[in-house]
């Protein structure tokens, strides 16, 4: 098991490591979230407090309180320091960008190997390792991917492994209770898997009674203690007692701790004679208490982490983020991705259903664990119908399902005669696990899309080099460019692709699409010194006589001075000539930004 994981990991590193290292040296990350994470890490290394989550070069000049966890920043920052010590100061960041995703991948492979063995026996381990390398979301572990998504994949798989293993070792349920709040503190994208895990042990207790009481008690007490420790040691020092929907906060923590404490009490007080209807009623009442707790503290959070997102922000930003698209939008906008992803999950669920049916006929011990993984996979796939980014974590839950299916088919081959029909089914099982049929169909039907974030196509490296030769100032920018300005310059970006930056996004969009004279006044009120956008940002579509559309047509206002050489696909950069703008307007920028009510305090020196 360990050997197969190491072999597959070595193969992946050999295929991607050298090229990835060169890319990190020359270009850096191409994913905006990874770039923004790099900006956070640089600030942490420069002396910003661990408990200060504000990104001061975003939503400039006021700053943006990020909702990301510092738990991811620390190990990557340690790798930067290690790279500095081993290779030199200029190589620390590329070293961390290259090494971190591969470390997480190794942990994922080991976790998957254990999970596959638990639900499908030793025969499922090798196909599980091979299928991981062919997973449609394996790009989450490519060099440069330092956002939190690959860590969330690891934590989801770790939860599943702990739950499945707890049928043999009840204490492993306690490990699951530690990982669930940890995954929520990293990001609320794992909420559906955390909810399934929290419901699984009570469901087992309802069905099996005292037999499952030890597992539920171990899980619940760990969940209670870990949530309390995270709140006291991390979340309260960062954001206080606020009830925020996009992080593990006081919107959810009281309900989570109350539910955990209730489960522990039930596991310890209801004896073997407790009837199933009584157990069902007790769990139902506890679930109602948890829901009422969230409803009383933050009722909007019952609608999801984006419940407070302004409706006018959707058409100018949210609807243009590919990872937030639903199945219908993906099918219309990106047929290739739709064909690669959605049939893959449909096949995995079908294979999982067949495997459960096959194992149940033999009363196999692995059936409970397989059902749990299949439930997690089905929930993730269902959520992915409404928002495609949910499929990133679900893709790795499909891997052990395919592996169990392949192991079951292999067992049929060893029992029955190796007829052409049986061998064809075995070959089909391996092909589905590697997603080969749907990859072939996707390539025949549609071309593979390019990145929706044009980091290299916009030639940001060259543009930012030009910008960095100019005095620091506030950049009125399109949201695509924002993370790169924050990470690779001393300037401040107004707009960035983050839902907490509503004021910055709407302000920059309003300025860039306003008619030139109106834009000039708005730039002054924001304290803007520079303008930046990419050719393909679609800003000219919002207003055919707006500032961007006017400039793209070749009519540059006399109060703007071009910076650098503007090519057809390159970054557009302009500096505002302050002599052409009323000076009294700049004083307003220190009071309140356009589209935001409360300014963020300035960064402490």
């Amino acid at each position: 098991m360990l050997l197969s994981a190491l072999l597959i990991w070595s193969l992946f590193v050999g295929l991607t490591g050298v090229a990835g290292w060169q890319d990190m040296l020359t270009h850096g990350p191409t994913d905006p979230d990874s770039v923004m994470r790099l900006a956070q890490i640089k600030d942490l290394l420069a002396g910003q407090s661990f408990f200060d989550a504000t990104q001061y070069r975003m939503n400039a000049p006021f700053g943006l309180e990020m909702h990301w966890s510092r738990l991811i920043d620390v190990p990557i920052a340690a790798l930067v320091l290690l790279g500095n010590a081993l290779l030199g100061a200029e190589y620390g960041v590329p070293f961390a960008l290259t090494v971190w995703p591969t470390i997480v991948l190794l942990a994922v492979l080991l976790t998957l190997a254990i999970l596959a063995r638990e639900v499908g026996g030793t025969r499922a381990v090798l196909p599980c390792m091979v299928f991981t390398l062919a997973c449609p979301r394996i790009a989450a572990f490519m060099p440069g991917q330092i956002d939190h998504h690959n860590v969330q994949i690891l934590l989801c798989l770790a939860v599943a492994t702990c739950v499945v293993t707890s049928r043999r070792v009840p204490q492993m349920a306690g490990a699951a209770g530690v990982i669930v709040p940890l995954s929520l503190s990293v990001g609320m994208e794992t909420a559906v898997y955390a909810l399934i895990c929290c419901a699984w042990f009570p469901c087992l207790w309802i069905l099996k009674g005292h037999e499952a009481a030890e597992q539920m008690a171990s899980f619940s007490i760990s969940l209670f203690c870990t949530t309390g420790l995270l709140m006291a040691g991390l979340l309260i020092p960062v954001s206080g007692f606020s009830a925020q929907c996009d992080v593990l906060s006081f919107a959810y923590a009281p309900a989570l701790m109350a539910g955990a404490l209730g489960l522990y009490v039930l596991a310890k007080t209801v004896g073997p004679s407790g009837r199933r209807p009584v157990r069902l009623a007790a769990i139902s009442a506890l679930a109602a208490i948890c829901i009422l707790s969230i409803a009383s503290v933050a009722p909007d959070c019952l609608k999801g982490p984006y419940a407070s997102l302004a409706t006018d922000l959707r058409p100018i930003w949210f609807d243009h983020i590919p990872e937030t698209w639903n199945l219908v939008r993906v099918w219309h906008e990106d047929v290739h991705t739709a064909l690669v992803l959605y049939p893959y999950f449909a096949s995995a669920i079908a294979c999982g259903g067949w495997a459960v049916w096959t194992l149940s006929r033999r009363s196999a011990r692995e059936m409970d664990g397989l059902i749990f993984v299949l439930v997690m996979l089905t929930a993730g796939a269902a959520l992915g119908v409404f928002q495609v980014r949910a499929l990133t974590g679900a893709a790795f839950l499909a891997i052990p399902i395919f592996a169990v299916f392949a192991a079951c088919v292999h067992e049929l081959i060893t029992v029955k005669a190796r007829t052409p029909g049986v061998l064809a089914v075995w070959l089909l099982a391996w092909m589905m696990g590697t997603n080969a049929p749907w990859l072939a169909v996707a390539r025949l039907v549609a071309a593979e899309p390019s990145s929706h974030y044009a980091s290299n196509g916009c030639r940001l490296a060259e543009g930012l080099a030009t910008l960095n030769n100019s005095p620091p100032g506030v950049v009125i920018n399109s949201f695509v460019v924002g993370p790169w300005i924050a990470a690779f310059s001393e300037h401040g970006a107004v707009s960035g692709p983050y839902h907490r930056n509503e004021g910055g996004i709407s302000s920059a969009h309003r300025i860039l699409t306003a008619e030139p004279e109106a834009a000039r006044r708005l730039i002054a009120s924001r304290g803007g010194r520079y303008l930046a956008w990419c050719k393909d940002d679609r800003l000219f579509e919002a207003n055919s006589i707006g500032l961007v559309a006017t400039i793209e047509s070749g009519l540059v206002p006399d109060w703007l001075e071009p910076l650098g050489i503007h090519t057809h696909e390159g970054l557009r950069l302009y500096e505002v000539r302050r002599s052409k703008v009323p000076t009294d307007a700049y004083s307003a920028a220190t009071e309140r930004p356009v589209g935001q009510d409360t300014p963020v305090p300035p960064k402490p020196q």
Side-chain angles (χ1 to χ4, degrees):
M1 181 179 69
L2 176 62
L3 180 61
S4 60
L6 288 173
L7 285 174
I8 294 296
W9 179 77
S10 300
L11 179 60
F12 180 86
V13 172
L15 291 172
T16 64
V18 175
W21 169 254
Q22 292 297 328
D23 285 341
M24 295 306 103
L25 282 174
T26 55
H27 301 297
T30 58
D31 170 61
D33 284 350
S34 296
V35 173
M36 195 64 189
R37 175 72 66 184
L38 181 58
Q40 295 287 88
I41 292 168
K42 285 182 175 181
D43 290 345
L44 182 65
L45 290 172
Q48 186 170 340
S49 170
F50 176 85
F51 298 108
D52 183 3
T54 304
Q55 176 48 247
Y56 292 96
R57 292 186 305 282
M58 185 63 65
N59 191 35
F62 303 92
L64 175 67
E65 184 182 350
M66 296 294 291
H67 63 288
W68 290 351
S69 172
R70 282 290 198 187
L71 294 175
I72 307 297
D73 296 345
V74 172
I76 303 175
L79 285 175
V80 173
L81 295 176
L82 178 62
N84 289 341
L86 295 177
L87 305 174
E90 68 273 22
Y91 296 107
V93 169
F95 175 80
L97 291 171
T98 306
V99 172
W100 173 250
T102 62
I103 293 176
V104 180
L105 177 62
L106 180 58
V108 165
L109 286 167
L110 293 172
T111 305
L112 277 171
I114 298 171
L115 182 59
R117 186 187 63 182
E118 288 293 327
V119 298
T122 54
R123 286 179 177 173
V125 174
L126 180 59
C128 183
M129 298 294 96
V130 176
F131 296 162
T132 302
L133 206 59
C135 178
R137 291 303 199 189
I138 192 65
F141 300 94
M142 294 291 287
Q145 295 293 326
I146 59 170
D147 64 2
H148 55 276
H149 298 304
N150 47 27
V151 176
Q152 287 179 318
I153 292 169
L154 172 61
L155 293 174
C156 285
L157 292 173
V159 165
T161 303
C162 290
V163 171
V164 169
T165 309
S166 68
R167 78 183 195 280
R168 292 189 299 104
V169 185
Q171 292 77 15
M172 289 300 294
V178 172
I179 299 172
V180 164
L182 192 63
S183 68
L184 291 175
S185 68
V186 170
M188 291 302 293
E189 293 92 340
T190 60
V192 63
Y193 304 119
L195 185 62
I196 291 171
C197 185
C198 290
W200 181 256
F201 292 107
C203 287
L204 288 181
W205 183 69
I206 292 171
L207 294 174
K208 299 182 179 182
H210 193 66
E211 180 183 345
E214 185 179 354
Q215 289 173 268
M216 189 170 78
S218 181
F219 170 77
S220 58
I221 194 63
S222 295
L223 179 64
F224 178 85
C225 293
T226 306
T227 304
L229 289 173
L230 283 172
M231 291 301 298
L234 178 64
L235 302 175
I236 293 176
V238 171
S239 55
F241 293 87
S242 59
Q244 299 166 321
C245 299
D246 55 356
V247 293
L248 180 60
S249 66
F250 268 83
Y252 309 107
L256 199 59
M257 296 180 70
L261 187 60
L263 290 178
Y264 183 78
V265 171
L266 290 175
K268 291 298 184 180
T269 57
V270 179
S273 59
R275 297 181 179 180
R276 188 174 296 173
V278 175
R279 297 196 295 269
L280 176 60
I283 294 298
S284 300
L286 187 59
I289 291 172
C290 294
I291 295 173
L292 288 174
S293 173
I294 298 175
S296 61
V297 175
D300 286 345
C301 293
L302 293 174
K303 302 175 184 178
Y306 299 116
S308 60
L309 186 67
T311 55
D312 61 345
L313 209 61
R314 291 184 177 274
I316 66 176
W317 164 64
F318 194 78
D319 291 344
H320 296 288
I321 305 296
E323 66 179 19
T324 66
W325 293 349
N326 57 27
L327 170 60
V328 176
R329 179 78 183 274
V330 174
W331 180 259
H332 284 290
E333 300 280 349
D334 188 353
V335 177
H336 185 278
T337 298
L339 288 174
V340 168
L341 287 178
Y342 290 99
Y344 175 80
F345 289 98
S347 301
I349 293 171
C351 291
W354 182 87
V356 168
W357 176 73
T358 301
L359 293 176
S360 65
R361 294 173 61 195
R362 302 184 320 200
S363 300
R365 293 176 57 208
E366 297 88 355
M367 191 180 66
D368 282 356
L370 184 60
I371 290 175
F372 176 75
V373 177
L374 185 58
V375 169
M376 290 186 73
L377 168 64
T378 304
L383 193 60
V385 172
F386 301 97
Q387 199 169 92
V388 69
R389 69 170 160 187
L391 299 180
T392 299
F396 289 85
L397 290 167
I399 293 170
I401 297 294
F402 279 123
V404 172
F405 178 71
C408 290
V409 174
H410 184 269
E411 187 174 345
L412 288 176
I413 292 176
T414 59
V415 173
K416 298 183 178 181
R418 297 188 178 184
T419 62
V422 173
L423 291 175
V425 173
W426 177 79
L427 180 61
L428 180 62
W430 275 81
M431 289 178 65
M432 288 198 300
T434 58
N435 205 25
W438 302 116
L439 279 171
V441 171
R443 289 181 179 178
L444 288 173
V445 172
E448 187 172 355
S450 59
S451 174
H452 291 276
Y453 286 104
S455 58
N456 292 330
C458 193
R459 298 173 62 181
L460 288 178
E462 296 92 329
L464 289 177
T466 300
L467 187 62
N468 283 333
N469 290 329
S470 303
V474 174
V475 184
I476 310 296
N477 62 287
S478 61
F479 68 83
V480 172
V481 183
W484 278 266
I485 296 174
F488 298 111
S489 80
E490 293 300 319
H491 301 273
V494 171
S495 181
Y498 307 103
H499 65 273
R500 286 194 178 186
N501 193 21
E502 292 186 21
I505 295 172
S506 60
S507 174
H509 183 82
R510 190 183 315 162
I511 291 169
L512 295 173
T513 58
E515 295 182 21
E517 284 304 311
R520 182 169 63 164
R521 301 293 303 183
L522 291 173
I523 290 171
S525 69
R526 184 76 193 202
R529 185 165 186 174
Y530 304 97
L531 302 181
W533 71 91
C534 290
K535 170 67 175 176
D536 57 353
D537 282 345
R538 303 179 183 177
L539 290 166
F540 59 90
E541 298 176 0
N543 186 357
S544 60
I545 59 173
L547 179 61
V548 169
T550 300
I551 295 174
E552 293 290 351
S553 68
L555 301 175
V556 181
D558 62 352
W559 47 272
L560 289 178
E561 179 179 353
L563 294 179
I565 300 174
H566 290 188
T567 62
H568 177 71
E569 72 279 2
L571 180 68
R572 269 72 168 138
L573 281 175
Y574 293 88
E575 183 173 5
V576 178
R577 293 172 176 166
R578 296 198 176 188
S579 61
K580 297 286 186 178
V581 180
T583 56
D584 60 340
Y586 279 94
S587 62
T590 61
E591 301 295 331
R592 182 173 288 109
V594 178
Q596 180 170 309
D597 294 330
T598 306
V600 178
K603 182 178 181 179
Q605 299 298 319

